[in-house]
Amino acid sequence: MKPLSATEIRDSVVNATADEIARMPLPGLHETIWAEREYLGWRDPQSPQRGYIVYWRGDTPVGMVLRAASREPGRSMSAFCSLCRTQQPAHQVSLFSVPKAGQAGRDGNTVGTYICSDLACSTLIRILPPPSQMQPNPAEMVVTRGAGLLERLEGFTNEVLKPAD
Ligand SMILES: [Zn+2]
């Protein structure tokens, strides 16, 4: 993805109050390897239930605040991330509830989905199997996986931006 500045990130958030946006901690933008990310995702060290996702939706950065649900004990052994579609041990995938943008969100409407707990789908999709007859060029898989990830993130964003019914 194209790099984002701190100002672009703060200006991009669609579903939080000005106060929440001002308090939002940012990850180390200088250390970020932008070329290896589809979206920038991070958890809030101050309030661990909180997470953030920012990405380029066309030419416009869009950011969202996410809230992880408390873990339900005794859930299944493995779970799928709805964005990168990677199957993982259940504790590495969290149910996030994301407030909707605008009035719908202020009225308490949220959209829920399972996403990698560390919001690092981009790292996961770059873990490749060794080349095989079936998959002679694993590097191409990253391109396909990245496109799929962005498409699903786009779809999820549409849900967040859609006014309540
Ligand atoms: Zn994921």
Side-chain angles (χ1 to χ4, degrees), residues 81 83-84 88 115-116 121 124:
C81 167
L83 297 181
C84 66
Q88 299 184 77
I115 307 176
C116 293
C121 300
L124 272 187

Side-chain angles (χ1 to χ4, degrees), residues 13-157:
V13 179
V14 296
N15 64 348
T17 63
D19 206 43
E20 287 174 307
I21 292 170
R23 280 202 312 263
M24 177 170 88
L26 297 182
L29 300 178
H30 291 293
E31 296 90 75
T32 300
I33 303 166
W34 298 97
E36 293 183 6
R37 290 191 181 252
E38 283 67 33
Y39 71 80
L40 185 65
W42 70 102
R43 295 292 291 263
D44 191 329
Q46 304 306 319
S47 32
Q49 298 298 100
R50 248 174 227 264
Y52 307 94
I53 285 182
V54 184
Y55 75 107
W56 287 94
R57 189 169 182 252
D59 293 331
T60 314
V62 173
M64 290 177 275
V65 177
L66 300 85
R67 266 182 211 100
S70 340
R71 217 172 289 300
E72 311 137 45
R75 247 189 28 219
S76 58
M77 299 293 288
S78 64
F80 269 105
C81 167
S82 68
L83 297 181
C84 66
R85 295 267 166 91
T86 309
Q87 187 171 19
Q88 299 184 77
H91 69 275
Q92 290 173 28
V93 177
S94 298
L95 174 62
F96 285 95
S97 88
V98 182
K100 282 182 155 258
Q103 190 58 44
R106 288 190 288 276
D107 291 343
N109 295 289
T110 60
V111 190
T113 195
Y114 286 93
I115 307 176
C116 293
S117 302
D118 56 4
L119 303 172
C121 300
S122 291
T123 307
L124 272 187
I125 66 168
R126 282 171 175 76
I127 301 171
L128 293 172
S132 67
Q133 216 141 36
M134 289 286 288
Q135 206 52 259
N137 186 358
E140 271 174 22
M141 287 171 70
V142 175
V143 177
T144 314
R145 289 173 177 180
L149 166 57
L150 272 177
E151 204 178 288
R152 290 185 287 272
L153 181 54
E154 188 88 43
F156 185 70
T157 308

